[in-house]
């Protein structure tokens, strides 16, 4: 007799805490680092995102972003993946919600990426965690003293960033890792407000890939930073001074880039060591 596959309604133990959760995880039910509460307001349209992204504090913004339901295609995809789990993670609950920014709340270094992976951040509840890109990224951050552990496997695992914060341009896992322009624009107020709240402390922004580069430039411009026109083009190692902020380009640690050797560990370490020094962060 073959066991029936587990559905999202079946409570499963969190890999770190052992607490039982359904998939997707309801807000305020005890998931490690969940910024939301059961009563956190939910944006259900582009106008709702614009209104709720006007949060006064970073904690309030994180909570609201983590329950956003403004893009029907993305909501459907992230929740379908959470319910119909990959076989290798069938015994785990999936976060299945948008991913808030994570790391130091007063960072000198900000890392901007594309979006969470369907079976990575969408599963673990932490940006760049649970997939191969995150494995490369956190290993490099640890080697240069910006992360306290060489791996980030799940929310609640004890990992901590030093003077550094990570954000995604689009907060939900998109099908084929490709959000539509409308989804990107609907989501934009979350990163724009986050960048505005962080700007008093941020000295360096590392953009991962062309999408992260464009997302960083749009968010910085919307937050009041003077961005030249035509906008600077992305390239690995490219540096652009934008007032008090320095923007650095870095190839995304995607499997395509790492498998082909386009991006090596030494190249990744060089970017983050340079960013660390420019930001004036003392490594752990």
């Amino acid at each position: 007799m073959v066991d029936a596959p587990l559905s999202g309604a079946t409570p499963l133990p969190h890999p770190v805490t052992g607490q039982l959760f359904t998939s997707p995880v309801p807000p305020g039910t005890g998931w490690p680092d969940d910024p939301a509460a059961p009563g956190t307001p939910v944006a259900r349209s582009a106008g709702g995102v614009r209104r709720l992204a006007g949060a006064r504090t970073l904690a309030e913004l994180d909570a609201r972003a983590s329950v956003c339901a403004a893009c029907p295609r993305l909501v459907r995809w992230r929740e379908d993946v959470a319910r119909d789990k990959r076989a290798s993670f069938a015994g785990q609950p999936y976060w299945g919600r948008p991913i808030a920014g994570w790391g130091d709340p007063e960072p000198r270094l900000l890392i901007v990426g594309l979006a969470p992976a369907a079976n990575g951040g969408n599963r673990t509840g932490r940006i760049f965690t649970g997939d191969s890109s995150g494995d490369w990224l956190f290993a490099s951050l640890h080697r240069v003293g910006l992360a306290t552990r060489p791996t980030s496997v799940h929310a609640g695992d004890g990992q901590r960033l030093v003077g550094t914060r990570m954000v995604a341009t689009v907060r939900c896992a998109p099908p084929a890792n490709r959000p539509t322009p409308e989804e990107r624009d609907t989501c934009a107020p979350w990163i724009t407000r986050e960048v505005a709240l962080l700007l008093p402390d941020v000295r360096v922004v590392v953009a991962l890939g062309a999408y992260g580069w464009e997302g960083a430039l749009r968010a910085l411009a919307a937050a009041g930073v003077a961005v030249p026109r035509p906008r600077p083009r992305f390239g690995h190692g490219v540096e652009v001074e934008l007032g008090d902020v320095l923007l650095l380009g870095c190839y995304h640690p995607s499997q395509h880039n790492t498998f082909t050797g386009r991006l090596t560990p030494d190249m990744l370490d060089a970017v983050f060591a340079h960013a660390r020094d420019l930001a004036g962060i003392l490594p752990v």
Side-chain angles (χ1 to χ4, degrees):
M1 179 178 178
V2 178
D3 291 337
L6 296 172
S7 73
T10 303
L12 296 170
H14 187 279
V16 176
T17 69
Q19 184 176 344
L20 296 177
F21 295 97
T22 55
S23 305
V25 175
T29 53
W31 188 275
D33 298 333
D34 184 354
T40 297
V42 179
R44 301 190 184 277
S45 65
V49 172
R50 290 192 295 271
R51 177 173 59 83
L52 292 177
R56 292 170 296 176
T57 67
L58 186 60
E60 188 176 47
L61 183 74
D62 286 347
R64 294 175 176 184
S66 76
V67 295
C68 183
C71 298
R73 188 183 77 117
L74 297 187
V75 172
R76 183 168 58 251
W77 172 253
R78 78 189 191 213
E79 294 187 354
D80 284 350
V81 171
R83 283 188 290 263
D84 303 325
K85 310 174 195 305
R86 177 178 285 180
S88 53
F89 303 122
Q92 298 182 14
Y94 271 55
W95 171 255
R97 287 165 41 199
I99 304 296
W102 181 79
D104 193 322
E106 298 179 345
R108 296 184 67 83
L109 169 60
L110 182 66
I111 301 170
V112 179
L114 167 58
N119 294 284
N122 189 57
R123 172 176 59 89
T124 64
R126 180 191 291 164
I127 186 172
F128 279 114
T129 296
D131 61 11
S132 63
S133 294
D135 293 343
W136 271 68
L137 181 59
F138 277 97
S140 178
L141 293 173
H142 181 259
R143 287 192 295 267
V144 304
L146 295 175
T148 58
R149 296 184 175 208
T151 60
S152 178
V153 296
H154 221 290
D157 63 2
Q159 177 65 280
R160 182 174 62 86
L161 296 181
V162 180
T164 302
R165 186 173 177 86
M166 300 174 171
V167 298
T169 303
V170 174
R171 303 303 170 100
C172 292
N177 293 319
R178 292 181 182 276
T180 66
E182 181 181 3
E183 290 163 350
R184 176 203 66 196
D185 293 345
T186 296
C187 199
W190 298 125
I191 188 173
T192 296
R193 181 57 177 159
E194 186 158 358
V195 167
L197 289 170
L198 298 175
L199 267 180
D201 299 293
V202 169
R203 293 295 171 264
V204 179
V205 176
V206 172
L208 300 177
Y211 202 104
W213 180 268
E214 289 301 319
L217 284 172
R218 283 192 299 269
L220 287 164
V225 175
V227 174
R229 290 199 173 272
R231 287 183 174 176
R233 297 186 63 180
F234 170 75
H236 184 81
V238 170
E239 301 183 19
V240 180
E241 290 188 10
L242 302 171
D244 294 332
V245 177
L246 183 73
L247 178 63
L248 284 177
C250 180
Y251 288 144
H252 192 287
S254 65
Q255 288 187 332
H256 173 75
N257 286 338
T258 57
F259 282 178
T260 61
R262 189 184 192 205
L263 180 66
T264 67
D266 287 346
M267 291 169 64
L268 199 56
D269 291 358
V271 168
F272 284 115
H274 187 44
R276 175 202 65 203
D277 294 343
L278 290 170
I281 300 171
L282 296 177
V284 294

